[in-house]
Amino acid sequence: MAAVFTCCLGCCGDGGPGHAPLKEMPTVQLDTHHMGTDVVIVKSGRRICGTGACLANAPLHQNKSYFEFKIQSTGVWGIGVATQKVNLNQVPLGQDTNSLVLRNDGSIYHNNEEKNRLPANSLPQEGDIVGVTYDHVELNLYLNGKSMHCPASGIRGTVFPIVYVDDSAIIDCQFSDFYHTPPEGFEKILFEQQIF
């Protein structure tokens, strides 16, 4: 029995010979290497303030992704998906083919065209949670866990979650440990090595 215990300690307990440490998976968060010049990122890459946009650090490779945003302070803001070609200093987004976003006025824009709109009585307010699903075709929105039934599509290529702020808006991003259960079949964003 002592030999078995010694083997366990030698093989895996103390990182001895033959031990290969597990690589810790990166955390999905806002990417300070892909943000506008007047953007401020705080709270371990989860909160955005200032003026401009920021991409998350993980593309949406999996079939069905879910993520959330909490409106901490109102102002001008937008949330959705974008390619890395998006202009991160431009507010509002949705003016070209590189972004598909919900704007603070309830409109969903892509390529300078309104693709859909939240119901009039469902505009996100301070403290609200906006959930986003994306399945490589359609972006859908949820307000405090309830589907808004306003799909939008049109963006092509590899996309990342994006958020922009201006006029004192503060937005928190939630890429795991969600406030609301993701819709069936959707899950948190996975890094490519986690998918395979």
Side-chain angles (χ1 to χ4, degrees):
M1 183 60 126
V4 173
F5 185 69
T6 304
C7 176
C8 283
L9 281 178
C11 295
C12 49
D14 66 356
H19 178 265
L22 292 176
K23 223 167 59 171
E24 192 172 315
M25 295 309 292
T27 302
V28 179
Q29 61 190 29
L30 294 175
D31 188 350
T32 56
H33 299 292
H34 291 96
M35 67 181 200
T37 54
D38 294 325
V39 167
V40 178
I41 303 298
V42 294
K43 295 194 87 153
S44 301
R46 290 188 41 236
R47 176 171 286 178
I48 182 173
C49 48
T51 298
C54 188
L55 292 169
N57 64 345
L60 303 179
H61 284 303
Q62 75 223 52
N63 291 333
K64 295 183 171 187
S65 303
Y66 178 79
F67 45 99
E68 294 176 334
F69 298 94
K70 182 173 184 178
I71 315 301
Q72 292 290 359
S73 181
T74 57
V76 173
W77 56 265
I79 57 177
V81 294
T83 69
Q84 285 190 321
K85 294 179 182 176
V86 69
N87 180 349
L88 298 170
N89 292 305
Q90 180 180 26
V91 172
L93 293 179
Q95 298 181 44
D96 59 24
T97 60
N98 296 313
S99 60
L100 172 63
V101 295
L102 166 68
R103 295 177 175 174
N104 59 284
D105 67 358
S107 61
I108 304 168
Y109 265 80
H110 171 68
N111 202 19
N112 211 29
E113 178 184 336
E114 186 174 311
K115 295 293 192 172
N116 213 330
R117 179 172 281 279
L118 294 178
N121 61 345
S122 297
L123 293 180
Q125 303 296 316
E126 199 168 291
D128 284 343
I129 309 295
V130 180
V132 178
T133 60
Y134 184 71
D135 64 6
H136 293 281
V137 175
E138 213 171 65
L139 180 129
N140 280 285
L141 300 162
Y142 298 78
L143 182 60
N144 297 319
K146 181 181 174 206
S147 175
M148 293 291 97
H149 304 289
C150 57
S153 59
I155 195 164
R156 302 278 183 255
T158 301
V159 298
F160 297 73
I162 193 160
V163 57
Y164 71 81
V165 292
D166 195 9
D167 196 27
S168 301
I170 300 172
I171 307 290
D172 282 357
C173 306
Q174 201 70 26
F175 298 112
S176 62
D177 302 322
F178 301 118
Y179 292 98
H180 301 282
T181 303
E184 189 172 334
F186 288 86
E187 62 183 336
K188 70 180 182 176
I189 300 165
L190 301 173
F191 279 90
E192 194 168 15
Q193 63 264 41
Q194 291 175 300
I195 295 173
F196 301 111

